[in-house]
Amino acid sequence: MSAAPQRLTAWVHGHVQGVGFRWWTRSRALELGLVGYAANQTDGRVLVVAEGSRVALDQLLDWLRNGNTPGQVTLVIDDFSAARGDLDGFRER
């Protein structure tokens, strides 16, 4: 496992818009020291992009999938890559 920062891109499916999901995700990400954003998509999904340690990203991904989020998550598709370093703070978009 690399100590270099990583980037998580997660597409969250389900009833995740209009229920406080992006705010909840931002709060969890900030707790973990991650940077990035959560953005509503026109098709009803929420796109979560976060950068930080792999351990913190894995924790965020676990929280996205564990069923205790606002709304109802039915599927999370994730992709990990090298951090780009182009993010600061964690925003709702």
Side-chain angles (χ1 to χ4, degrees), residues 8 10 56-66 76 78 80:
L8 166 66
L57 293 171
D58 283 340
Q59 179 63 63
L60 179 62
L61 192 55
D62 286 346
W63 284 342
L64 292 174
R65 288 185 166 138
N66 75 10
V76 179
D78 63 85
F80 285 92

Side-chain angles (χ1 to χ4, degrees), residues 1-2 4-8 50-54 57 80-84:
M1 192 177 309
S2 172
Q6 301 228 341
R7 183 180 190 105
L8 166 66
E51 289 189 355
S53 74
R54 180 60 187 252
L57 293 171
F80 285 92
S81 58
R84 296 180 192 167

Side-chain angles (χ1 to χ4, degrees), residues 28-89:
R28 301 295 79 79
L30 290 173
E31 287 176 22
L32 295 168
L34 299 171
V35 296
Y37 61 89
N40 283 341
Q41 303 297 292
T42 57
D43 61 5
R45 297 179 295 175
V46 170
L47 171 62
V48 177
V49 176
E51 289 189 355
S53 74
R54 180 60 187 252
V55 170
L57 293 171
D58 283 340
Q59 179 63 63
L60 179 62
L61 192 55
D62 286 346
W63 284 342
L64 292 174
R65 288 185 166 138
N66 75 10
N68 292 323
T69 64
Q72 181 181 9
V73 174
T74 57
L75 176 67
V76 179
I77 298 174
D78 63 85
D79 180 62
F80 285 92
S81 58
R84 296 180 192 167
D86 58 349
L87 302 168
D88 64 340

Side-chain angles (χ1 to χ4, degrees), residues 15 18 22 24-26 63 66-67 69 72:
H15 179 62
R22 290 176 303 148
W24 180 90
T25 301
R26 179 180 179 271
W63 284 342
N66 75 10
T69 64
Q72 181 181 9

